[in-house]
Amino acid sequence: MKKIKVLALCAIAAGVITSCQKDEISNDQPVSLELSKDLQDKLLDAGVNPLNASIETITNLDGISMEYVKSGDIVLPLEKLEQNEYKLGDLEDGNKQYRTNNLINSSNSTIDILGYTGSCCALTSTMQTGLQWAVNNYNRISTRLNFRLTFGTNFEAADMVVYNNGQGGAGGQAEFPSGGRPGKFIQINAGTGSFGGSNVNNVNEHVIGHEIGHAVGFRHTDYARRRCDGSNEGTAGSIGAINIPGTPTANRWGQSGLDSGSLMISCFDGSEDGEFSNFDVVALEFLY
């Protein structure tokens, strides 16, 4: 029976589900608070599942600690969520994949992305390879986005920073775009660097490419019924994900029409090739 790994949620090892990884770089256990009804409603308005979501204090590479609402591999700054900045528009009709209402504007089309190599949070060699391959994949697509990848420690100057958060398990997490700019900090769990056996480079390409996808505005392709646990990340109607024309639809009752090869499927199992599906390319070209 094939094991399933959930992106930035819980690892499955030896058939036993382990606890979710921490989000901070420090060794302190994150403080997790329950969400109020108002925040749960705002999460739904953003198309994010409030089930098991929590408020956590996260310290990023800049040393600034902020409160985030964390759900799966998505983290949203609490202050911006309280202001309802992530509220989605009405759903369109048609057979489509899904995005957020927050995209990258044309003045920020060149994205300086940093693979962090500093002592506290350096990407492993396999993570660096995966990042390079993922960036190459994005740059091959005919869009206005242009990723300029460097490796180093000057995260202040970067538009997007990919780093090793030192936590166990395979997966990662990212922020959605905000203010016309991409989500900046992308955390990759330390366990990702060795997950997948001989396929480890492709797995890292997949995980990092997936999290970059969130940072440029993509939702999970299977948001209506997650492949791993069957949960629905948002409801239909005026709340939920915004559809992208020309891509298959996954309904909330099953996986009919689901693009199962999409890079933005919520789960992975170590057999991934790290490449975009044809419909991922259609979605990227439509948005950018």
Side-chain angles (χ1 to χ4, degrees):
M1 178 178 177
K2 184 163 61 176
K3 298 175 184 176
I4 296 294
K5 287 278 181 171
V6 182
L7 284 167
L9 190 55
C10 296
I12 299 176
V16 178
I17 301 180
T18 66
S19 61
C20 301
Q21 86 288 343
K22 293 190 296 181
D23 294 316
E24 290 120 330
I25 299 170
S26 70
N27 291 323
D28 296 331
Q29 190 70 21
V31 176
S32 178
L33 303 175
E34 293 184 0
L35 268 61
S36 67
K37 178 64 166 58
D38 179 63
L39 282 178
Q40 291 181 45
D41 289 342
K42 285 183 169 64
L43 271 184
L44 284 171
D45 283 342
V48 177
N49 187 1
L51 182 66
N52 298 322
S54 60
I55 300 173
E56 298 188 4
T57 301
I58 299 175
T59 303
N60 284 308
L61 286 173
D62 54 11
I64 298 175
S65 296
M66 291 178 55
E67 288 187 316
Y68 288 84
V69 175
K70 178 177 178 292
S71 176
D73 65 332
I74 299 299
V75 288
L76 303 177
L78 176 61
E79 181 179 5
K80 292 181 179 180
L81 184 64
E82 288 176 330
Q83 296 169 357
N84 225 16
E85 289 189 21
Y86 293 100
K87 184 173 183 178
L88 303 178
D90 290 341
L91 293 176
E92 303 171 6
D93 295 326
N95 297 326
K96 303 157 189 178
Q97 286 182 352
Y98 309 97
R99 69 168 176 89
T100 72
N101 198 36
N102 303 282
L103 298 176
I104 300 168
N105 63 32
S106 58
S107 62
N108 296 315
S109 294
T110 297
I111 299 171
D112 288 311
I113 182 168
L114 178 75
Y116 193 74
T117 59
S119 58
C120 78
C121 314
L123 297 176
T124 67
S125 61
T126 53
M127 291 176 182
Q128 291 186 36
T129 298
L131 173 57
Q132 181 67 72
W133 290 4
V135 167
N136 291 346
N137 289 340
Y138 278 92
N139 283 336
R140 288 191 194 101
I141 309 302
S142 179
T143 70
R144 62 175 171 82
L145 299 182
N146 175 39
F147 289 86
R148 299 190 301 199
L149 175 63
T150 57
F151 291 93
T153 59
N154 187 15
F155 61 86
E156 294 94 342
D159 299 304
M160 192 180 292
V161 182
V162 183
Y163 68 95
N164 182 347
N165 66 9
Q167 305 304 315
Q173 63 185 234
E175 302 174 52
F176 285 144
S178 178
R181 303 186 66 84
K184 179 160 184 172
F185 290 107
I186 294 177
Q187 299 186 34
I188 304 300
N189 293 3
T192 312
S194 58
F195 183 71
S198 61
N199 196 44
V200 63
N201 287 330
N202 285 327
V203 170
N204 280 262
E205 176 188 16
H206 175 90
V207 172
I208 295 172
H210 176 104
E211 299 305 338
I212 291 174
H214 286 314
V216 303
F218 282 101
R219 292 288 314 278
H220 289 141
T221 303
D222 58 344
Y223 93 98
R225 185 176 174 86
R226 287 169 56 93
R227 188 172 68 180
C228 297
D229 56 22
S231 66
N232 182 8
E233 294 180 355
T235 60
S238 64
I239 55 176
I242 297 177
N243 295 325
I244 302 172
T247 61
T249 298
N251 62 53
R252 62 183 295 188
W253 302 279
Q255 298 296 315
S256 177
L258 176 69
D259 178 15
S260 60
S262 172
L263 187 75
M264 296 309 298
I265 292 289
S266 59
C267 310
F268 68 104
D269 60 16
S271 63
E272 288 73 19
D273 61 11
E275 306 302 319
F276 292 119
S277 72
N278 290 336
F279 288 116
D280 289 336
V281 175
V282 169
L284 274 166
E285 291 181 342
F286 180 84
L287 293 184
Y288 295 112

